[in-house]
Amino acid sequence: MSSQEVVLTAAKDSDSDVVLRVRDLTKRFLVKRRGISGPAQYLQAVAGVSFDVKEGQTLSLVGESGCGKSTTARCVLRLIEPTSGQVLFRSPQGRPLAGDTSPSNQSKAPFIDLTQAESRELREARRNAQIVFQDPIASLNPRMTVQAIVSEPLVAHGVGSRAFRAERVQELLQLVGLKPSYATRHPRSFSGGQRQRIGIARALALNPSLVILDEPVSALDVSVQAQVLNLLDDLQQKLGLSYLFIAHDLAVVRHVSTEIAVMYLGKIVERATQADLFGSPLHPYTQALMSAVPIPDPVIELKRRRIILSGELPSAIRRPTGCSFRTRCPVVQERCVQEEPQLEEQLPGHWVSCHFPQLDGSTMVTPSA
Amino acid sequence: MTPDPPLLDVRDLRTYFLTDSGDVRAVDGISFSMSKGERLGVVGESGSGKSVTAASIMGLIEPPGSVVGGQIRFRGQDLLRLSEREMQKIRGREIAIIFQDPMTALDPVFTVGSQLTETLRIHRGMSRQEARTVAIDTLADVHIPSPEKRFKDYPHQFSGGMRQRVVIAMALLCDPALLIADEPTTALDVTSQAQVMDLMLGLADDRGTAVMLITHDLGVVAGFCENVQVMYAGEIIERGPAGQLYANPEHPYTRGLLESVPRLDDDSQTKLYSIRGVAPSMIQPPRGCRFWPRCDYATDKCVSERPRSCCGDSPKECACHFAGQFNLETDRAGV
């Protein structure tokens, strides 16, 4: 199936609940040029990625460092300019700020392609699509007070009076489980978990419909990680948020996601619902990844069969021919070298890009006797 | 027959850091021991004192920090009484350490080969040719592909996982009796982590090296360690054989930690158990039990009276007034 057909098939699905639709997104970075007019060398960070985020749900992009998951997230908001592809985003119209008393009128707006959007349209879209970053230290300006940090999106978009914004910040701090009195303090007086809450409050200031969470709990200790994951869950329920969740930790991903896309070297190699992906992973990479995640239980760990991948991640500058994973794949065959597999619907709703999907159903997640 | 003396025996170790606002009691009276070839997991969150414990054993505490009390006996000899010269002979040769960031151990301006051979020539007095052969063999041991070629490469030409494997190779060159691995896989991707842990397990088994694995990751410990001790606020709050400790944690903090991690083999998406609040100040830790401000079961006794600390004498210990008297599942169901 060509990628064109993939788009058509996907369009046939009911799409009334799709908030974000990404199609054939690519991003390549110029690495260097040989001489003045010599051939350019590119790093293909994102190599044709397609997915949908549905209203009120969580889609996770999961993969190891260098797989292109964060670049994809940034391309969606055009914090990095994508090279090609479509990013279709639907801003719900008239989504009020919390505390605003006007009746909510969330009628379905048409999709806007953010890659083609004029700056005004893009600004409007960014009111409705916000991002939380991984590093709660680097992403908060140490010279600003919490009040200034959290109200910054409101100021940037010219929302409300000073008094309104002060009130909104109080409301937001309470929403993320911080004391309203913290507004006058600076980031340095907070722990990692509290800083991440401040980052979340800032992302929610404009009452967005979509929040991109780029490794939001990776920098936190486990006891604090649980607090923040619970908070994100509460907020999703309360505010009807849609999440695009970027993560490397499969256990966390299993806990939070409705649907999951596994990325390897800039491509989605497998995409399925949470239950299908963890119940019967089909791609050998997904299986290896799952088998590598340690489970905090010595009895299970001693019985588990671990797939140790040989070799290293290939360079995104000189990608392997055929299947990107073939250099490390435990079930590689001649065809994989010659022919690049396409993402195909192997089982209903379960997409995999592999010539030899592992249909025998060994899950690796439960211990093999 | 008397039992073998322990390889490492730490008694009432205290390591404090002097700051303007008071002493930070990073490690505050811990006792434990390790036997030959034992694989011990030291688990805790940031600031619990696990890395300071490692640095204290290696004699790597620098001002404003200092070891203010206790003993660290290695093969019966108190390391705290040794001169820096004597300590240098132990460090690397008898006890080796690897860190989270492999670049702390690798010099970016020398080839990997020259760094490996230098160690062999200094510590084991080998000739250049001998050292080269051993170094290449060792690279092969840690599964570096085409080791003869990679011998001439610089550290930046290796991936993160390969660098950590090179560092492990380097740490094991002198066949130390004890390897301290301080968050060795925290900076690595999960597939590289699996490679590194697999390798460490194999090497430790083959050579009978004792390994102290320091980590925040309860999963990594589960697959590697025979015994586990949990640290909180500069103290060891629970210790035991891995199987028992995971199946039947007695301290509310250990339980909380185990309950709060999402598990790969659990498909529920219900709320995670979370330990409320944050770790206490180590300058003025709470009186009584250090965990009481965050504990769901704290009583007046916990606030006023410090529980008896783990002293390292019995294989399973727990520093809690009400050790093992909780049942998280039924307690929570009742809420």
Side-chain angles (χ1 to χ4, degrees):
Chain A
M1 203 187 300
S2 79
S3 55
Q4 201 56 41
E5 284 167 282
V6 173
V7 174
L8 289 173
T9 339
K12 270 185 270 169
D13 296 347
S14 146
D15 61 1
S16 61
D17 56 348
V18 173
V19 176
L20 175 72
R21 167 160 290 171
V22 172
R23 287 294 174 268
D24 281 323
L25 187 72
T26 69
K27 175 63 197 180
R28 54 179 201 178
F29 294 98
L30 179 64
V31 181
K32 64 176 173 195
R33 199 179 277 283
R34 287 217 184 79
I36 297 170
S37 56
Q41 246 187 11
Y42 290 99
L43 184 151
Q44 187 86 34
V46 181
V49 160
S50 304
F51 58 83
D52 287 345
V53 180
K54 297 192 182 118
E55 196 177 336
Q57 299 193 348
T58 301
L59 175 91
S60 294
L61 295 181
V62 64
E64 300 184 283
S65 26
C67 74
K69 54 190 192 302
S70 285
T71 308
T72 303
R74 276 152 216 237
C75 283
V76 166
L77 289 181
R78 279 177 67 188
L79 299 177
I80 298 175
E81 274 312 315
T83 306
S84 70
Q86 289 180 304
V87 176
L88 304 171
F89 179 66
R90 177 145 58 191
S91 307
Q93 287 179 338
R95 190 179 164 92
L97 283 179
D100 188 332
T101 48
S102 63
S104 99
N105 169 30
Q106 294 195 29
S107 61
K108 292 294 170 204
F111 279 122
I112 297 168
D113 186 351
L114 298 186
T115 62
Q116 307 297 323
E118 305 283 323
S119 64
R120 249 191 57 215
E121 288 175 311
L122 188 63
R123 256 179 87 80
E124 180 56 28
R126 282 182 179 158
R127 274 185 71 150
N128 286 297
Q130 290 282 317
I131 185 164
V132 175
F133 296 100
Q134 170 177 0
D135 186 339
I137 296 167
S139 59
L140 304 180
N141 186 338
R143 290 167 181 272
M144 285 162 77
T145 61
V146 171
Q147 166 72 38
I149 289 169
V150 176
S151 65
E152 200 178 15
L154 299 167
V155 175
H157 286 268
V159 177
S161 62
R162 184 181 286 261
F164 170 84
R165 292 195 296 259
E167 201 180 313
R168 176 76 180 140
V169 169
Q170 303 279 304
E171 199 176 86
L172 286 162
L173 290 179
Q174 265 175 326
L175 188 66
V176 299
L178 293 175
K179 288 184 193 144
S181 62
Y182 289 175
T184 53
R185 297 202 201 161
H186 288 85
R188 64 171 170 272
S189 52
F190 296 99
S191 69
Q194 288 171 322
R195 285 182 215 195
Q196 201 55 302
R197 287 173 195 264
I198 295 169
I200 294 170
R202 173 176 62 186
L204 296 178
L206 291 160
N207 199 22
S209 55
L210 174 72
V211 180
I212 298 176
L213 301 160
D214 190 359
E215 301 268 13
V217 295
S218 314
L220 306 178
D221 270 323
V222 285
S223 69
V224 178
Q225 168 179 296
Q227 293 170 1
V228 173
L229 288 175
N230 287 345
L231 171 68
L232 290 171
D233 185 37
D234 281 341
L235 294 171
Q236 183 168 44
Q237 312 267 336
K238 209 180 286 179
L239 306 174
L241 298 172
S242 310
Y243 288 153
L244 175 59
F245 193 94
I246 314 294
H248 70 279
D249 184 331
L250 277 166
V252 168
V253 162
R254 181 169 201 179
H255 187 78
V256 304
S257 313
T258 323
E259 206 182 339
I260 296 144
V262 181
M263 289 187 71
Y264 185 80
L265 213 63
K267 293 192 172 197
I268 291 177
V269 296
E270 185 163 6
R271 196 179 74 213
T273 61
Q274 184 253 22
D276 287 347
L277 190 88
F278 285 94
S280 55
L282 300 178
H283 198 285
Y285 176 62
T286 313
Q287 294 189 344
L289 205 55
M290 285 184 187
S291 88
V293 178
I295 292 174
D297 185 335
V299 181
I300 294 178
E301 279 297 295
L302 292 179
K303 277 197 234 154
R304 273 174 96 198
R305 193 166 60 89
R306 193 149 271 160
I307 307 169
I308 302 285
L309 287 181
S310 58
E312 308 293 322
L313 189 72
S315 154
I317 300 172
R318 261 165 290 161
R319 308 176 66 89
T321 59
C323 173
S324 307
F325 185 56
R326 68 163 171 86
T327 54
R328 306 171 75 192
C329 182
V331 295
V332 63
Q333 301 200 23
E334 189 51 37
R335 186 175 165 201
C336 310
V337 183
Q338 310 296 339
E339 192 186 326
E340 186 172 353
Q342 300 296 320
L343 193 63
E344 288 176 36
E345 193 170 15
Q346 194 59 231
L347 298 169
H350 196 146
W351 299 70
V352 62
S353 149
C354 178
H355 293 308
F356 306 99
Q358 306 293 295
L359 291 160
D360 56 3
S362 66
T363 67
M364 313 290 162
V365 178
T366 42
S368 52
Chain B
M1 223 173 83
T2 52
D4 280 349
L7 179 70
L8 178 74
D9 189 41
V10 175
R11 288 289 122 194
D12 199 28
L13 177 69
R14 287 167 205 275
T15 306
Y16 292 180
F17 290 79
L18 310 175
T19 70
D20 291 340
S21 21
D23 291 0
V24 176
R25 305 186 197 173
V27 169
D28 203 10
I30 64 168
S31 302
F32 67 97
S33 60
M34 283 180 76
S35 50
K36 253 172 93 176
E38 177 181 341
R39 290 193 301 274
L40 173 71
V42 180
V43 179
E45 298 186 280
S46 6
S48 61
K50 53 195 194 306
S51 291
V52 176
T53 304
S56 306
I57 295 168
M58 294 300 289
L60 294 174
I61 297 290
E62 281 176 13
S66 64
V67 177
V68 297
Q71 295 174 336
I72 301 172
R73 293 190 179 279
F74 179 74
R75 291 183 159 148
Q77 187 178 29
D78 190 350
L79 299 184
L80 295 176
R81 292 171 183 276
L82 297 185
S83 67
E84 178 55 29
R85 261 188 98 100
E86 289 169 314
M87 197 59 208
Q88 270 171 11
K89 286 185 189 155
I90 298 222
R91 218 183 275 141
R93 205 178 297 182
E94 307 257 5
I95 309 176
I97 186 164
I98 58 178
F99 297 101
Q100 175 175 334
D101 178 3
M103 287 312 285
T104 51
L106 294 170
D107 191 326
V109 301
F110 292 99
T111 64
V112 160
S114 72
Q115 298 184 55
L116 288 167
T117 46
E118 186 194 7
T119 311
L120 287 166
R121 295 182 67 201
I122 293 173
H123 278 298
R124 288 173 56 178
M126 287 185 182
S127 73
R128 196 178 292 267
Q129 194 48 47
E130 243 180 324
R132 187 188 146 86
T133 315
V134 173
I136 290 173
D137 285 352
T138 318
L139 285 177
D141 281 351
V142 295
H143 310 312
I144 303 290
S146 32
E148 275 181 54
K149 235 171 75 196
R150 300 313 299 257
F151 184 82
K152 299 187 203 103
D153 283 347
Y154 289 88
H156 75 266
Q157 291 167 293
F158 290 77
S159 73
M162 282 163 101
R163 271 182 222 153
Q164 196 60 297
R165 272 147 49 205
V166 169
V167 170
I168 292 172
M170 202 181 278
L172 295 177
L173 282 177
C174 298
D175 246 328
L178 172 62
L179 173 66
I180 301 177
D182 188 355
E183 302 269 10
T185 60
T186 305
L188 303 181
D189 276 316
V190 44
T191 54
S192 311
Q193 166 171 291
Q195 288 172 347
V196 166
M197 292 314 297
D198 186 57
L199 177 75
M200 289 220 318
L201 194 61
L203 292 174
D205 256 353
D206 290 350
R207 303 170 182 223
T209 314
V211 181
M212 181 189 295
L213 176 65
I214 295 172
T215 176
H216 68 284
D217 189 327
L218 292 153
V220 172
V221 168
F224 187 81
C225 298
E226 300 149 329
N227 295 304
V228 182
Q229 57 197 30
V230 182
M231 290 190 72
Y232 183 79
E235 297 180 323
I236 295 169
I237 54 110
E238 185 165 7
R239 117 180 54 252
Q244 281 182 48
L245 190 116
Y246 279 78
N248 187 23
E250 295 194 336
H251 197 289
Y253 177 67
T254 314
R255 282 186 173 232
L257 272 187
L258 283 165
E259 288 273 318
S260 59
V261 228
R263 286 173 60 136
L264 186 74
D265 58 345
D266 176 8
D267 72 347
S268 74
Q269 296 195 320
T270 51
K271 285 273 183 299
L272 293 164
Y273 177 80
S274 73
I275 302 171
R276 64 170 184 263
V278 291
S281 148
M282 299 303 294
I283 294 175
Q284 272 185 308
R287 292 160 181 280
C289 171
R290 289 191 177 168
F291 186 58
W292 79 259
R294 304 179 73 189
C295 182
D296 287 342
Y297 308 94
T299 65
D300 291 348
K301 188 177 181 190
C302 307
V303 179
S304 57
E305 197 179 314
R306 199 160 165 184
R308 202 169 59 91
S309 50
C310 295
C311 56
D313 289 342
S314 76
K316 194 162 182 348
E317 287 180 296
C318 174
C320 171
H321 291 308
F322 304 101
Q325 294 174 31
F326 316 102
N327 188 329
L328 212 60
E329 267 90 305
T330 53
D331 288 354
R332 267 200 295 157
V335 171

